Amino acid sequence: MLVRSMSEADLKDAAFVHQREFARQQRSLEWLRCNLSAYPRFLSYVVVVDNTVVGYISWAQKSGFRPEVVLELEQLAVLSNYQGKGLGRALIKQSLVLVEKQLSDTGSSIKHIMLTTRADNHAQKLYRSALGAEIEATIANLYSADEVLMIARNVNLRT
């Protein structure tokens, strides 16, 4: 397993993951291409197993480029047949090291991490354990159901 920056060459494979795991969303390739093109505001990574992209993660810097960044976990997806094997956790943890390096090179650091997910999404457990994120609010009927806003405060990757 390898976590690395997403490249243009990864877009079709990442779009396949997006289509499979987010059935209600459309135009997967265009969506991921837009995120990749928005670097450095968006930082995108893939997880590769046996030379195949089986998942991706996108992080977004919120509210401009600041010395202390509020980072959003914009989207995380792993193909269902690879779930439950630690790849989501690896994507979060290993990509955050790469994000921290990118931010450090520009004189910034991560302050908080925020994310939203469906209220019934079992990934909340992953976000709690991998990031220390806690539910801050529930937003009724935001996309396809109720969403929860989770925040990991005062992130320190060195602990």
Side-chain angles (χ1 to χ4, degrees):
M1 178 214 37
L2 169 70
V3 174
R4 61 170 170 73
S5 293
M6 185 185 291
S7 71
E8 187 80 24
D10 297 318
L11 283 173
K12 286 186 180 177
D13 291 336
F16 175 77
V17 174
H18 184 267
Q19 288 168 342
R20 293 285 299 271
E21 302 308 319
F22 298 106
R24 288 181 295 275
Q25 296 181 21
Q26 300 175 3
R27 298 168 40 202
S28 298
L29 185 61
E30 182 180 1
W31 170 255
L32 292 170
R33 181 172 282 125
C34 287
N35 286 348
L36 189 61
S37 296
Y39 174 88
R41 185 179 186 284
F42 279 84
L43 303 166
S44 300
Y45 303 88
V46 293
V47 61
V48 178
V49 175
D50 296 328
N51 296 316
T52 302
V53 171
V54 299
Y56 68 88
I57 190 168
S58 293
W59 299 95
Q61 294 186 64
K62 304 302 283 184
S63 299
F65 299 128
R66 298 173 177 229
E68 290 187 307
V69 173
V70 174
L71 195 63
E72 180 178 10
L73 193 167
E74 168 68 25
Q75 197 164 62
L76 167 70
V78 174
L79 286 172
S80 57
N81 53 323
Y82 287 89
Q83 292 176 11
K85 300 176 185 203
L87 296 180
R89 178 178 302 281
L91 261 172
I92 290 170
K93 294 291 198 176
Q94 292 180 35
S95 69
L96 269 177
V97 171
L98 299 171
V99 168
E100 183 181 48
K101 168 82 170 81
Q102 168 68 30
L103 293 175
S104 176
D105 289 349
T106 62
S108 296
S109 63
I110 301 168
K111 180 178 183 181
H112 304 309
I113 296 173
M114 61 182 274
L115 61 103
T116 62
T117 190
R118 282 176 56 120
D120 61 355
N121 189 341
H122 66 275
Q124 287 181 50
K125 184 176 177 183
L126 171 64
Y127 302 143
R128 276 191 189 93
S129 67
L131 296 169
E134 295 295 334
I135 295 174
E136 294 282 331
T138 300
I139 307 159
N141 197 28
L142 184 60
Y143 298 110
S144 58
D146 292 352
E147 290 276 316
V148 293
L149 168 66
M150 300 180 78
I151 298 180
R153 297 188 178 278
N154 302 310
V155 174
N156 183 349
L157 299 178
R158 289 173 180 74
T159 60

